[in-house]
Amino acid sequence: MELEKHQFIFLSVGLCLNEKEKKKKKLQYSWKALSLVIPTPLQRVTHKAVHRLFHTRSCLFMVLHVALQAAVFGEYTWEVFVYCWELQFHLLLLLLPYLLLAGNLGCFLLCSRANPGTVTKSNAASLVKVYAYDGVLFQRGLVCPTCTVEKPARSKHCSVCRTCVHRFDHHCVWVNNCIGASNAGVFLLYLLSLTATAGALAAVTAAFLIHVLLLSDIMHGTYLDAQGQEHPVEIAFLVQHLFLTFPRIVFMLGFVILLTLVLGGYCSFSLYLALTNQTTNEWYKSRRFGGSPHLPSQPQDRPLIYKNIYSKGIWRNLKEIFNPPTVLERKKKT
């Protein structure tokens, strides 16, 4: 029985290594193809820049994050807010984006400065007891070669932060921090507030432009084309007219609408992970093993099939995001 267990662990590790080797080979082939076109000095500069951006901790994306928010809210305050105030929009509606921004900045600071749940030699023994090992994605007894500590279930070593993180989700460059057991709830609030902020800006700006069109009565007008023929006003003509009249506002509206759609999709995915008690790391790795309504059998001649053993129901899963379990809590339940 002990021999079968070790065979199963080696098989799981071997599959993970094979998957990593395949990805590495694909990247090598892609880089070789590009190296035939790109000059060698430019390759070195690009390689260093990419490594510095995505493989080392850097505040560049945090600065870009704040700069984009400052630019968008600068335009909103300078033009949209003033115009809407003159058109007697409700004050609470105009202040809503600022209130959401304040909440988002608070979550942003908390998420970027919080300890995500670093695994150290002093707490590794206790963190090992928090989650059970599923035997597919996480095996008991594995030691991180970099941190030289036993890896708790659901943990992973982050090459950017150079530390193991408990209940590792992913490393987010926008907050310059890992997302783990201790800050997953704040990160979810950060995503929700950021999406709501972009949505509120888009709604107020769109309402202003529609109000302008209704006041001008241009929607019921006509225009002459290049041949001198008269046509009723269409949507493309209205968009062109608004862009020529309010170019910065229309450009900002397009940007925040796109941002709302992208963030909305990511928020939906993050909520799905939270409600099913999965991490991004676990979801990605589980794609290799498929799914099954029963636990996987351990003989070596059968394929590994993943099952999420950490889900406890929607409400308990959501509660765990904001209140991670401890060793004491688990002992009380058992």
Side-chain angles (χ1 to χ4, degrees):
M1 191 68 184
E2 191 68 24
L3 179 61
E4 289 182 357
K5 181 179 178 182
H6 282 86
Q7 288 176 341
F8 176 73
I9 292 175
F10 291 141
L11 178 61
S12 303
V13 175
L15 285 172
C16 294
L17 290 175
N18 288 336
E19 192 71 22
K20 289 181 179 178
E21 286 296 326
K22 289 179 182 178
K23 289 181 182 178
K24 189 176 180 180
K25 286 182 179 179
K26 287 180 181 179
L27 289 173
Q28 287 176 347
Y29 291 146
S30 301
W31 183 253
K32 285 181 180 179
L34 288 173
S35 64
L36 298 175
V37 183
I38 304 174
T40 304
L42 184 59
Q43 289 181 32
R44 292 173 183 171
V45 173
T46 304
H47 179 73
K48 288 181 180 179
V50 171
H51 184 271
R52 186 172 182 81
L53 282 175
F54 298 102
H55 297 282
T56 59
R57 296 196 71 176
S58 171
C59 295
L60 179 62
F61 283 97
M62 293 181 69
V63 174
L64 180 60
H65 182 293
V66 175
L68 285 173
Q69 284 188 321
V72 169
F73 270 88
E75 175 59 27
Y76 175 78
T77 305
W78 183 256
E79 289 197 280
V80 178
F81 187 93
V82 175
Y83 287 140
C84 288
W85 181 256
E86 292 177 355
L87 293 173
Q88 297 182 345
F89 275 55
H90 199 285
L91 180 60
L92 184 60
L93 178 65
L94 299 179
L95 292 178
L96 180 60
Y98 295 106
L99 298 175
L100 292 171
L101 175 66
N104 175 252
L105 289 177
C107 294
F108 173 74
L109 291 173
L110 287 174
C111 198
S112 61
R113 297 179 65 86
N115 183 342
T118 304
V119 181
T120 62
K121 292 182 180 180
S122 60
N123 64 8
S126 59
L127 291 178
V128 164
K129 302 175 184 177
V130 175
Y131 290 112
Y133 291 87
D134 64 357
V136 179
L137 300 183
F138 308 104
Q139 291 84 29
R140 185 181 297 276
L142 295 181
V143 176
C144 175
T146 306
C147 302
T148 63
V149 295
E150 184 178 358
K151 299 177 70 172
R154 311 189 78 180
S155 67
K156 186 179 182 299
H157 182 83
C158 176
S159 59
V160 181
C161 295
R162 299 177 183 178
T163 184
C164 286
V165 178
H166 189 226
R167 199 185 181 279
F168 177 85
D169 190 276
H170 70 287
H171 181 89
C172 180
V173 295
W174 297 105
V175 298
N176 196 27
N177 200 3
C178 280
I179 309 303
S182 301
N183 63 349
V186 179
F187 181 74
L188 184 60
L189 292 177
Y190 160 75
L191 278 181
L192 291 172
S193 60
L194 188 61
T195 307
T197 304
L201 285 169
V204 174
T205 306
F208 160 69
L209 293 176
I210 292 172
H211 196 76
V212 169
L213 291 176
L214 292 175
L215 287 177
S216 65
D217 203 31
I218 194 175
M219 298 176 67
H220 302 289
T222 58
Y223 70 97
L224 297 176
D225 61 12
Q227 287 75 32
Q229 294 180 349
E230 189 175 14
H231 298 278
V233 171
E234 299 173 348
I235 294 178
F237 180 86
L238 293 175
V239 173
Q240 183 181 12
H241 171 73
L242 288 173
F243 187 78
L244 292 174
T245 310
F246 308 103
R248 291 189 298 272
I249 295 178
V250 174
F251 182 80
M252 184 195 76
L253 177 61
F255 174 74
V256 293
I257 287 177
L258 178 62
L259 192 62
T260 303
L261 294 175
V262 173
L263 288 172
Y266 187 47
C267 266
S268 300
F269 175 67
S270 297
L271 280 172
Y272 162 74
L273 293 179
L275 295 175
T276 56
N277 206 332
Q278 297 183 80
T279 65
T280 304
N281 177 55
E282 292 164 4
W283 178 87
Y284 174 74
K285 286 185 174 180
S286 68
R287 301 304 96 188
R288 298 197 304 267
F289 300 104
S292 172
H294 54 80
L295 286 171
S297 55
Q298 293 204 358
Q300 188 174 352
D301 58 343
R302 295 189 182 182
L304 298 176
I305 301 176
Y306 170 75
K307 181 184 183 301
N308 180 16
I309 66 171
Y310 305 112
S311 181
K312 307 166 187 174
I314 291 176
W315 297 114
R316 290 180 66 185
N317 291 340
L318 195 59
K319 179 183 176 183
E320 185 174 312
I321 293 294
F322 297 97
N323 185 25
T326 62
V327 184
L328 293 176
E329 288 176 355
R330 190 181 171 198
K331 284 183 177 179
K332 287 178 181 177
K333 290 176 183 177
T334 56

